[in-house]
Structure formats: structure tokens, C-alpha cells
Amino acid sequence: MTSSQTAHRAGGLTLALGALGVVFGDIGTSPLYALQTVFSIDDGVVAPTRDNVHGVISLVFWSITVVVSVKYVAFVLRADNDGEGGIMALAALARRTVRTGGRRAAVVMVLGVVGASLFYGDSVITPAISVMSAIEGLSVPEPSLRRFEVPLGAVVITVLFLVQRAGTARVGRLFGPVMALWFAVLALLGLGGIVADPEILTALSPHWAVLFVVEQPLVGFVAMGAVVLAITGAEALYADMGHFGRPPIRRAWFFVVFPCLTLNYLGQGSLVLRDPTSVANPFYLLAPAWAVWPLVVLATAATVIASQAVISGAFSVSRQAERLGYLPRLTVRHTSPDESGQIYVPAINWILYGGVLLLLLVFQSSERLATAYGLAVTGTFLLTTTLFLVHADAAWHWSRRRLLTLGILVGGLELVFFAANVTKVLTGGWLPVLIAVVVATTMLTWRRGSAVVTLKRRHREGPIQEFSRWLARERPTRVPGTAVFVHPSRATTPIALRENTRLNHVIHEHVVIVSTVSENVPHVAAQDSIVWQVVGAPGDHVIHIAVHYGFHDDQDVPQALARARDAGVPVDPDGATYFLSRITVELTGETSLPRWRKRLFIALAHNAASPIDYFRLPEDRTVSMGSFVKL
């Protein structure tokens, strides 16, 4: 083996270890509460009998196999948008492959928005239920400690969100070894239970799941509402693909995560067969008495890591939504010099923190939180399957038979999961629905409001040709230097340029209008990112530069202008003065949007990231000029 091959293999192992820490934390901690919830749901309607235990374990195993191994790992991970995953990236990819301007293109993006909104609901519930399920192990050996569980959970969650600014690269290096130990412990605990009663191995046969559902359809339907807890985290697995890449995630899943989860669920099933009262907490009771305290500590660390998966996924989805025009400008901090996908979004981090802490204080136990869990997850599953099939049809030209096979096998199972969780709407399932409605409303309002404001702004700015004729007629004084105007279009005149020239009757010797164009791909190659042309009359010395970015590229305007200069474009970014046209939106009685949506849009606009920071402009050479647009 050559040194380069050795280095590549070592790098792959490092990424796989990091993926254990960031990507698989959520699904990896499901054994803490999944089976316990199955046998406690609806006041214990699923009795811990021999046939029921075999049926439940079989359902868990085959649900993980079909939804995670087959759907996500084998198929959906192939639908990467230039290396990026997540439902918004998938929606953008599907929109690019269907007919432009058609009804399917519009529907695809609406499905992406709804799916992303449901993912935010999952991102709020997962940290709360994961951390509480671990800390509740304190009351297994010592029931009097139950009163400390909620305060301790709040402390753990606070620390988790505080460390996000360190970035997923550092977090992954820290969490990877901990999760490797966690999965090893899961496997050892499971093996101990299997050795005590090897009969449980027969539960791997799918016939047990079929018999359980056929013989007790109502009980089986109720159980499915809790079995889905064993596969939560699959969507985060896809959303976090941009952080580590497809091969490390697949290797970690098939060689570590899937085998260890299977062993642990089998071990818990074996314990319940031998002692039906262990359904109270089969995970902790599977461990010997001396190991419970260390296991609580390890489980707490693992659930903190589990929360990292959805938090990192929320960062990725938020940035994708912003670049696709569904959220205002966000402050995004890159936390790795090598991986562009490793980011920290402060606003999203603290919004999630507030939501998680509120949930913890309201529900106060993993059992009560479990009633709210599932609906967001299963809804996102169904939307991801739909978008994937649209993409497979349009881009890969799958046969109708292949589409139907995967749709019926995976989509049918997910539809049952979703229906089983709809029954929990009144007992907590309303929460993720409410979160999704709020997020989707916010995204669609920003999209619609931006379109209205852009139209009014263009009307106010006027055509660039009209400004060129004014220059020829008025002949303002030329002053030395280069003025750069960041402006969304080459068709209209930047307000800052027009007002500065009319009021002061001066114009810079060289004028550069820069438009940043967000493409429907994660990254645009540097050599393809710059397009320039002269606008107006040749004597105006006005050029327009369009800088194309992917939705995961940094919109650094001075850096782009330096690339343009090196490519022969007549521009000097080092000595240029930058001008921004700041638009203030005024609320009026116009009927373009309902009044409450106008207020929401204005609030979002006021809290958008500063364009100086967003475009990486030098503060000492940037001038802002304001104008008003009525909404």
C-alpha cells in the first residue's frame, strides 16, 4: 500500500469516526427509550408477552433495515446536491431536474419547505427527549433523585448549545471516540442479553412482525407509533452528509452502528422475555447493577452527541433555505478551514436552544415527550421519499416498476408510521405540527414578501439605460477612484449610485455594479463564477459583474472582485469604495399581502444579517445610503 493510499484510508477512518460523533448520535441513542415507549404507550396496550416481544423486535429490526439501510443509506445518499444533503438540498436538486416553470417544479419546492419545517420540529424535540431519557437513569438505582432530573437536563442542554460555536469538526473529534465507546457498550449489553436467552434471535425473521400486525391489528398499529422512535435520526443522517461525505457515513453505518443497534434491541427483547416487569426501563435494567451509574454518565454524553446530529442538520438546512430565498440573510460562521459544510449559525442555534429548554420545562419527562415525537419525523420521511422518487424519475429515468417497488415498500411503511403518529396529535403531537406551521409560514412569507419588495424596488430604481442618458445629458464631475455598488440586478440603477450622483453631481472614474447570483447548486467553481460586461454607453465607464455562488458558498464580494481582476476584468478591489443601497420597508394599506404577513416580513428584514458582514465588505471603505419601499 502506497503512502497516499495509507493517508487516504486514515482520513476515511477519521471521517467515519467523526460521523459517529455527529451523524449517528440521534439514532444511536434510540435504544434508551424506544422499547420502553412501545410497551408503555397507551397505558401498556402492548403487553410484554412472548409473541408480542418477538413481533416488536422484528418490527424494529425491519424498520431500521428498510427505512435507514435501504432508503437512506443505499438510495437517498446517492441524491446528493454536489455533496450536500438534507430535504432542502433534495428539493433544489429535484426542481433542477423537472421541467422548468412547470407545476411540478413549484410543488417540489413547497414540499421542500414543508419538510424543512418538520425537520425544525424534530430539531427541537430530539435534544429534549434524548437528554432526559439518559438522565432518567438516575432514578433506576435511586428513585429519590428524580427531582433533580429536569434541572440537570437544563444544565446539560445549555452546555450543548454553548459549545456549538466550536464547530462540527472539533465537536466530531471530541464526540467520535465517546460514541465509539457508546456503540461498543450497546453491543456488549445486547450480547449479554442474547446469551442469557438465544431464542430472541428468531425475532430477526420478518414473519414475527407480520404475525404481530395480522393477529392484533389495532395493537400493532398503536405499537408502530412508538416503533418509529427506533429510526429517528435517519433524516439528520442525510442532512449532515455535507459535513462528512457519503462513504464515511456508509462505512460507519454498516460496520458499526447497524450491528450494535441490532444487538442491543435483541438483548432488551431477551430481558423482557425473561422478566416482563423490566419494560419499565429495559435499557438500564439490561446492565448489571454496578454498571448503572457509569452507564448514566456515558448515556448522558451520548445523548448530548445525539442532539448534535439534528443541530448540525438544522444549520445546514437553514443555510440552504436562506440561499434559495426562503429566509433572510443569516450570519454564518465557518468553523473549519478545509470543509465548507462545517458551519455555525448563531441565530438558529439560540432559537433552537430556547425551544428545547421550553419543551424540557413543559413536558419534564421522556415518556411525555415521546407523545410529541414521531409526527415530525414520519412527515419528513414521507416528503423525502416523494422528492427522491421525483428526482429518480426525472434525472435517473427509473422505470415505473422500480419507482413503484421502492415507493410501495418504503413509502407504504412510512405512511403507516405517519398514520400511527397522527393519533397522538391531541396528546402532544400538535407541538411539532405547530412548529412546522410557524416555520413554513415564515419561509413562504419571506419568499412572497421579497418578490413584492423586489418588484417595487426595481420600479423605483429605473432602467440603467435611463441613467446612462442622464449622465450624457448632465455630465457630472468625474472623481478619481473606483466605486463598487452591490446591487441585485444589471437591468436597473443602484439607488445609492443614482442618488449620490444626482445630489452631489459627481461620479467616480470607474463604476462597478456587482450582483451576487445564488444558483440552485451547493457550489460554483471559481472559474465559472464571474460574468462581466459593459453597461450603458462606453464613455460611462460602468461595468456590471455577476458573481455566481452556490447555496453553500461564501458570498465574499472583495475576494470575488480580486478573482475578476486576476482574470482580466478592469476592476481594482483594493482601493475601491463600496456602496450599499439600504432599503427600509414601510407598512401601508396595500393588499399585496395580509397585514400580519407584512409585519412578519418587516420583522425578518430588520433582523437580517448586516450586508457588510454578509458580503465581507471592508467597514472603513463602505458607505450605506437608504431608501424606502412601501409594502
Side-chain angles (χ1 to χ4, degrees):
M1 183 179 293
T2 66
S3 59
S4 62
Q5 289 174 320
T6 303
H8 178 76
R9 187 172 182 179
L13 290 174
T14 301
L15 284 173
L17 184 62
L20 284 180
V22 175
V23 178
F24 293 109
D26 188 2
I27 197 168
T29 53
S30 294
L32 278 165
Y33 50 81
L35 282 192
Q36 177 187 358
T37 304
V38 171
F39 289 105
S40 64
I41 194 169
D42 285 5
D43 298 320
V45 68
V46 185
T49 63
R50 177 180 177 275
D51 288 352
N52 285 359
V53 171
H54 280 78
V56 167
I57 298 299
S58 184
L59 274 176
V60 167
F61 174 75
W62 286 103
S63 296
I64 294 174
T65 300
V66 171
V67 176
V68 185
S69 297
V70 175
K71 173 190 164 180
Y72 277 100
V73 181
F75 288 106
V76 174
L77 287 184
R78 292 172 56 199
D80 64 296
N81 199 337
D82 195 21
E84 296 296 333
I87 195 162
M88 285 299 291
L90 179 59
L93 186 65
R95 184 177 69 175
R96 203 163 71 236
T97 55
V98 300
R99 183 170 60 86
T100 304
R103 182 178 296 178
R104 289 178 77 188
V107 171
V108 156
M109 287 313 300
V110 170
L111 292 180
V113 168
V114 175
S117 303
L118 288 169
F119 184 77
Y120 282 108
D122 183 23
S123 301
V124 171
I125 298 174
T126 293
I129 190 173
S130 298
V131 170
M132 283 305 298
S133 63
I135 293 177
E136 283 168 357
L138 291 171
S139 59
V140 173
E142 189 57 61
S144 63
L145 296 177
R146 186 175 297 276
R147 67 181 183 275
F148 296 109
E149 291 172 353
V150 173
L152 186 56
V155 171
V156 171
I157 286 171
T158 300
V159 172
L160 168 66
F161 282 94
L162 283 173
V163 301
Q164 290 304 310
R165 67 186 65 193
T168 52
R170 295 177 185 174
V171 168
R173 284 196 295 269
L174 173 67
F175 287 172
V178 176
M179 286 307 295
L181 175 61
W182 170 254
F183 284 114
V185 170
L186 286 184
L188 287 173
L189 291 175
L191 281 171
I194 294 169
V195 169
D197 187 2
E199 182 197 355
I200 194 63
L201 290 171
T202 63
L204 295 178
S205 171
H207 86 277
W208 284 108
V210 174
L211 286 175
F212 177 57
V213 173
V214 170
E215 292 178 355
Q216 304 178 82
L218 183 59
V219 174
F221 182 74
V222 171
M224 291 288 277
V227 168
V228 72
L229 297 176
I231 52 176
T232 57
E235 186 63 30
L237 176 154
Y238 180 43
D240 285 330
M241 180 168 61
H243 294 260
F244 295 97
R246 186 192 312 156
I249 290 176
R250 283 181 168 167
R251 284 194 291 267
W253 171 256
F254 284 116
F255 291 110
V256 179
V257 181
F258 190 26
C260 293
L261 288 176
T262 301
L263 288 173
N264 193 263
Y265 283 122
L266 287 169
Q268 289 191 46
S270 172
L271 175 65
V272 174
L273 283 177
R274 288 179 281 118
D275 179 12
T277 63
S278 65
V279 294
N281 201 319
F283 176 80
Y284 280 110
L285 292 173
L286 190 61
W290 61 267
V292 171
W293 288 108
L295 190 56
V296 169
V297 175
L298 179 60
T300 302
T303 52
V304 167
I305 297 166
S307 307
Q308 182 65 51
V310 291
I311 295 171
S312 300
F315 291 163
S316 297
V317 169
S318 300
R319 193 184 194 195
Q320 292 165 15
E322 178 243 315
R323 292 296 171 83
L324 292 170
Y326 289 94
L327 286 176
R329 287 188 302 266
L330 297 170
T331 298
V332 177
R333 298 175 186 167
H334 290 270
T335 57
S336 170
D338 305 314
E339 295 292 332
S340 62
Q342 295 183 358
I343 57 175
Y344 167 62
V345 186
I348 301 301
N349 186 68
W350 297 117
I351 289 173
L352 288 179
Y353 170 67
V356 172
L357 204 59
L358 180 63
L359 275 187
L360 185 70
L361 297 176
V362 170
F363 285 86
Q364 298 202 343
S365 74
S366 63
E367 183 178 345
R368 293 178 64 192
L369 280 164
T371 62
Y373 214 17
L375 197 58
V377 177
T378 53
T380 309
F381 284 169
L382 279 171
L383 292 170
T384 299
T385 299
T386 303
L387 290 171
F388 175 78
L389 292 175
V390 169
H391 174 67
D393 178 35
W396 300 341
H397 307 294
W398 275 18
S399 66
R400 185 64 55 86
R401 179 179 177 182
R402 193 173 185 184
L403 290 170
L404 286 174
T405 300
L406 187 65
I408 293 171
L409 175 65
V410 176
L413 178 61
E414 291 174 344
L415 189 60
V416 174
F417 279 137
F418 180 76
N421 279 278
V422 166
T423 62
K424 299 191 292 185
V425 167
L426 296 179
T427 58
W430 57 268
L431 181 65
V433 174
L434 176 63
I435 294 171
V437 168
V438 170
V439 174
T441 301
T442 300
M443 287 186 175
L444 295 174
T445 297
W446 179 258
R447 180 79 168 184
R448 173 61 182 156
S450 297
V452 173
V453 169
T454 298
L455 187 64
K456 291 177 176 290
R457 174 178 174 161
R458 286 177 179 172
H459 179 74
R460 188 183 182 98
E461 291 164 343
I464 191 71
Q465 292 82 2
E466 180 183 301
F467 178 74
S468 178
R469 289 192 293 270
W470 183 88
L471 287 179
R473 186 173 61 252
E474 299 294 332
R475 296 186 179 279
T477 303
R478 289 278 179 177
V479 295
T482 299
V484 176
F485 295 84
V486 181
H487 184 64
S489 169
R490 69 179 175 86
T492 59
T493 309
I495 290 177
L497 170 60
R498 191 188 66 186
E499 296 303 317
N500 184 51
T501 308
R502 288 178 186 262
L503 290 173
N504 300 316
H505 214 73
V506 296
I507 187 171
H508 284 75
E509 186 178 7
H510 299 284
V511 175
V512 180
I513 301 173
V514 178
S515 300
T516 60
V517 183
S518 292
E519 297 291 354
N520 192 28
V521 295
H523 303 286
V524 174
Q527 64 270 19
D528 301 325
S529 63
I530 306 293
V531 178
W532 76 283
Q533 68 181 100
V534 175
V535 294
D540 294 344
H541 300 288
V542 179
I543 66 171
H544 176 267
I545 300 177
V547 187
H548 296 258
Y549 294 101
F551 55 71
H552 265 291
D553 292 329
D554 224 6
Q555 296 199 6
D556 189 324
V557 168
Q559 184 184 75
L561 293 180
R563 290 203 311 272
R565 177 196 58 200
D566 296 341
V569 181
V571 61
D572 176 24
D574 297 330
T577 301
Y578 294 84
F579 289 84
L580 292 171
S581 303
R582 300 295 295 267
I583 301 298
T584 301
V585 181
E586 288 185 332
L587 186 64
T588 68
E590 294 184 14
T591 58
S592 54
L593 281 173
R595 194 172 185 85
W596 67 269
R597 293 187 74 185
K598 291 180 182 180
R599 291 185 181 279
L600 175 59
F601 177 82
I602 292 172
L604 291 170
H606 284 169
N607 288 281
S610 164
I612 295 176
D613 296 332
Y614 189 82
F615 295 116
R616 307 293 193 267
L617 305 181
E619 290 189 24
D620 57 340
R621 290 189 284 122
T622 301
V623 178
S624 294
M625 301 187 69
S627 183
F628 293 90
V629 169
K630 295 181 179 180
L631 180 63

